[in-house]
Amino acid sequence: MHRVCLTYDFDAVAAWLAQGRPGFASWGVYGAETAAPRLLDLHDRYEVPSTWFVPGHTAESFPEVAGRVHDDGHEIAHHGWSHEALPTLSPAEERADFVRGIDALYDLTGEKPDGFRAPDGGFSPRTVELLEEFGFGWDSSEGVRDFRPYRLRTGATLDLDAPYEPGRETGIVEVPLVWHRDDWMQLFPVVSGPEWVAYGEEPAVFERWRTDLDWMRERVDEGVFTLLLHPQCAGRAPFVAEFEAFLADVLEMDDVTFATCGEVAREFDPGA
């Protein structure tokens, strides 16, 4: 059986503040107060599970909405405290941000999070060691593979003066993520630059995702399709209507089921 993981980066206001763009903060409030409840209602109607990566700042700023995510039975995972890019932080700053995020999610759910996604897209040289130190079981930040979980590595040689070496394998399961399945990269019309990709029409994005999913179904045994969504993007009209149609299509596929990232990680078979 193939699995689709619907994941949300519930950045709310934190991402805008971390980027030094407080003038866009209202989009984050919209994501928390308007879009997230709309998406949770959609999940209720279709009885589809999801994984929410929640910065500690979001958990403490919007406790009612973040609490509903948990109360509705969705998985909550760690996404930093501040949503600042990890490579820009000093070792002490990254540790403090990491621990503060854990504490905020524990206060919200009564449990220590088991999964992680790097805020702002990337690890520092220290991030994986922090995941090991604090006993995290899985991550969903990287894309060495596109449809198959694998063991996360640390200590890769990233130096143009030396050949690439992948580093040491850890016990942490990576539920892979690829950027063309990120709604923000495709559809959010705020920041422009060569790293931001956009399609002309929203339906074209979903057709690309359907094509990607069909390719996996035809060519990969028990593949995992991870979709990265942001409430302030995915919950917009008319995007949310296209998203609902996509969910309905997937539910009609007899060889596909929805799963949380944690479920995928717990079922990971390194020999498969």
Side-chain angles (χ1 to χ4, degrees):
M1 182 69 72
H2 302 289
R3 287 163 294 179
V4 170
C5 294
L6 301 176
T7 74
Y8 294 92
D9 285 8
F10 191 14
D11 303 333
V13 174
W16 297 115
L17 299 182
Q19 292 177 15
R21 296 173 179 269
F24 290 113
S26 65
W27 273 107
V29 177
Y30 166 84
E33 296 185 350
T34 300
R38 181 180 291 161
L39 290 164
L40 289 168
D41 289 344
L42 179 63
H43 280 270
D44 284 348
R45 289 200 302 275
Y46 285 88
E47 298 182 338
V48 171
S50 60
T51 300
W52 293 60
F53 295 88
V54 183
H57 184 275
T58 299
E60 294 195 4
S61 299
F62 302 97
E64 291 187 4
V65 181
R68 181 184 167 187
V69 173
H70 177 256
D71 292 344
D72 283 2
H74 300 285
E75 181 175 50
I76 289 183
H78 192 4
H79 199 41
W81 159 262
S82 63
H83 205 276
E84 292 184 276
L86 302 181
T88 68
L89 302 178
S90 71
E93 289 170 337
E94 182 175 4
R95 171 177 283 274
D97 191 271
F98 194 86
V99 172
R100 190 176 181 186
I102 292 174
D103 290 345
L105 295 189
Y106 184 87
D107 290 343
L108 178 71
T109 68
E111 300 175 339
K112 185 184 81 65
D114 189 48
F116 181 79
R117 175 172 287 159
D120 205 33
F123 293 151
S124 81
R126 305 166 296 274
T127 306
V128 178
E129 283 81 357
L130 283 171
L131 294 175
E132 289 185 300
E133 178 183 343
F134 287 90
F136 279 74
W138 61 271
D139 174 76
S140 184
S141 305
E142 297 205 330
V144 171
R145 300 179 186 173
D146 48 8
F147 299 112
R148 303 287 293 177
Y150 58 94
R151 295 289 187 191
L152 193 63
R153 290 179 175 268
T154 186
T157 303
L158 302 175
D159 186 339
L160 287 177
D161 290 329
Y164 170 78
E165 296 290 341
R168 171 178 61 84
E169 186 176 88
T170 73
I172 300 168
V173 177
E174 181 66 27
V175 181
L177 174 70
V178 292
W179 289 110
H180 62 262
R181 293 188 224 130
D182 177 351
D183 64 345
W184 194 283
M185 299 290 275
Q186 314 297 331
L187 293 168
F188 205 78
V190 172
V191 184
S192 62
E195 73 279 18
W196 295 87
V197 181
Y199 288 83
E201 298 180 0
E202 290 183 346
V205 176
F206 289 91
E207 286 308 308
R208 168 60 189 268
W209 291 345
R210 287 182 176 93
T211 300
D212 207 23
L213 180 57
D214 287 341
W215 193 98
M216 180 190 77
R217 294 168 65 204
E218 293 171 3
R219 295 172 174 84
V220 180
D221 292 333
E222 297 185 351
V224 176
F225 180 96
T226 308
L227 197 61
L228 194 169
L229 305 165
H230 300 75
Q232 55 195 287
C233 184
R236 291 187 294 115
F239 184 111
V240 71
E242 296 286 349
F243 180 44
E244 182 170 4
F246 177 80
L247 291 186
D249 287 348
V250 175
L251 286 168
E252 291 295 318
M253 299 173 183
D254 59 9
D255 60 343
V256 178
T257 188
F258 290 99
T260 66
C261 291
E263 289 170 337
V264 168
R266 288 188 290 273
E267 295 169 5
F268 172 68
D269 179 1

